[in-house]
Amino acid sequence: AADNADQNTVEVVLDGPTTVESGASVEAGNLWFAGADKALTVTGTLTADTTKVSASGAAVTVSDKAAASLGDITIEAAPTVNKLTVTNNNAKADVTAKSLTIAAADKTNKAGTFTLTSGAFTVGDLSNASGAKVAVGSDTAKSVFTVTGKATNAGTIELTGAEANNTATFVVGADSAFTNTGSIAEANSKVGTLDVAGQLTNTGAGTIKLKNLVVSGTLTTGVVTLDSDGAETTDKAFQFDSITLDKGGVINVVADASGNALKMFYTETKGKDGKVTKTAKINDGVWNFNGGNVQVNGTTIAGADYNIVMGYSGAPLTANFAADYEFGNVSVAEKSQQVTLSVTDAANLKAKSVDLTNA
């Protein structure tokens, strides 16, 4: 350790395995992982103003009664990928950071990786550059990564683990404004949950493909991705096995009103009498309607003017209504395979007509 008189702080440079002992408290101006394979074990309390990662194999492990706050984390780009792994064994306290910045790759340097293997990690601002990665999860332990401030992802956010455990969760906090132009996805199995309590905008080439989506804030997303000229492609912008719309939650689907992509979800047809028929399509998977709503280009799909067609994609669909909703005509698509409609005792599904002939 060396004193930094200008900042009146201490810089801690890790050059080997280091432990903050139980009962001890370390406050560092700058915590610097300067060499490869440097491990820091915290059994006491660690507080850093900044944490800099300039090597591969950097690791912070927090014991079950310890606490760690890593300040502003920067993972530098380098010829060999710089990596920081956080393992939090304290089930009662998050490891925290004011910000996490993973620098972009350039002609000679590769972008780095941040990995949360277990426990909870909460960060304020997040900047995950193109080529960089945030990995969340493991085969055995529950992992929850939460962002609470301004966030951008142009790289990869990857949820991983054993399929049977479904233990990895990425949370967009209530006060977070998150823009995704990269990828939020599972590594190789159905393990991931995206919990949107704040504002998440999935735009441009951004894709989100996970097992579960829970929304109590607002997810704004295209139907398909956009190319560099802003034109719609054929690649899906989002895909989930299960979607839960809690009270106050909104999924706002944004797409060219005259384009083909939107037609998979919503159509407006004008009859000879000039009357416009508005139809929303619930395609497949499990949809839990707990008080939230779907919007198309900012307009809420609710009320007697909007018809609902279920099972439109031909794959199995389960639609669970646990809050009050009103639509026009509710029906099942002719080519549907298996559609299940459930309305709880406390809920009221009001419609002009309900036709489950093809269910």
Side-chain angles (χ1 to χ4, degrees):
D3 289 331
N4 183 331
D6 291 338
Q7 299 295 326
N8 193 28
T9 59
V10 174
E11 181 174 67
V12 178
V13 181
L14 297 179
D15 56 4
T18 305
T19 299
V20 178
E21 298 289 353
S22 178
S25 179
V26 174
E27 297 183 10
N30 180 40
L31 179 65
W32 183 18
F33 291 89
D37 302 322
K38 298 301 181 287
L40 174 61
T41 301
V42 182
T43 59
T45 301
L46 170 68
T47 303
D49 292 336
T50 62
T51 298
K52 182 169 66 173
V53 179
S54 305
S56 177
V60 177
T61 300
V62 179
S63 71
D64 59 348
K65 296 180 181 180
S69 180
L70 302 178
D72 293 307
I73 303 173
T74 301
I75 302 178
E76 300 176 333
T80 301
V81 176
N82 289 335
K83 299 179 181 179
L84 174 61
T85 299
V86 172
T87 302
N88 182 11
N89 296 313
N90 187 344
K92 296 181 179 180
D94 294 10
V95 173
T96 63
K98 183 178 179 181
S99 66
L100 170 60
T101 301
I102 307 179
D106 55 34
K107 291 182 179 179
T108 58
N109 296 307
K110 299 177 181 178
T113 298
F114 175 94
T115 300
L116 175 66
T117 62
S118 69
F121 175 83
T122 296
V123 65
D125 296 340
L126 171 66
S127 177
N128 194 42
S130 177
K133 179 189 288 188
V134 172
V136 181
S138 65
D139 286 346
T140 57
K142 181 179 180 180
S143 302
V144 180
F145 185 110
T146 301
V147 59
T148 61
K150 182 178 180 180
T152 58
N153 175 48
T156 298
I157 295 174
E158 183 178 86
L159 278 63
T160 188
E163 183 172 355
N165 295 329
N166 189 29
T167 54
T169 302
F170 190 92
V171 180
V172 179
D175 295 324
S176 179
F178 194 119
T179 300
N180 179 57
T181 56
S183 169
I184 303 175
E186 290 143 338
N188 50 24
S189 57
K190 297 291 187 178
V191 299
T193 296
L194 174 63
D195 187 339
V196 181
Q199 309 292 318
L200 172 57
T201 300
N202 184 44
T203 187
T207 57
I208 307 175
K209 298 180 181 180
L210 296 169
K211 181 178 178 66
N212 302 309
L213 170 67
V214 179
V215 182
S216 57
T218 300
L219 168 62
T220 299
T221 180
V223 178
V224 294
T225 61
L226 305 178
D227 63 22
S228 58
D229 295 324
E232 293 181 341
T233 71
T234 58
D235 297 328
K236 290 183 178 180
F238 69 96
Q239 185 172 345
F240 303 94
D241 291 353
S242 172
I243 295 175
T244 298
L245 274 165
D246 287 332
K247 184 177 180 180
V250 173
I251 298 176
N252 182 22
V253 179
V254 177
D256 182 354
S258 61
N260 290 323
L262 188 59
K263 293 178 182 179
M264 187 66 183
F265 290 88
Y266 180 78
T267 59
E268 291 188 0
T269 305
K270 182 179 289 188
K272 293 181 179 179
D273 58 358
K275 183 179 179 180
V276 176
T277 300
K278 303 174 183 179
T279 303
K281 304 165 185 176
I282 306 176
N283 288 297
D284 49 42
V286 177
W287 286 73
N288 299 307
F289 293 93
N290 296 343
N293 290 289
V294 175
Q295 295 181 346
V296 172
N297 292 328
T299 299
T300 300
I301 306 301
D305 292 337
Y306 292 93
N307 299 326
I308 302 295
V309 178
M310 298 184 293
Y312 185 80
S313 69
L317 165 70
T318 298
N320 300 312
F321 290 87
D324 294 345
Y325 289 87
E326 180 182 5
F327 301 111
N329 301 317
V330 177
S331 63
V332 175
E334 292 183 5
K335 61 180 181 180
S336 65
Q337 288 189 13
Q338 180 180 347
V339 173
T340 301
L341 173 63
S342 171
V343 182
T344 65
D345 291 341
N348 180 26
L349 179 59
K350 183 179 180 180
K352 291 180 179 178
S353 67
V354 178
D355 182 359
L356 304 180
T357 304
N358 297 312

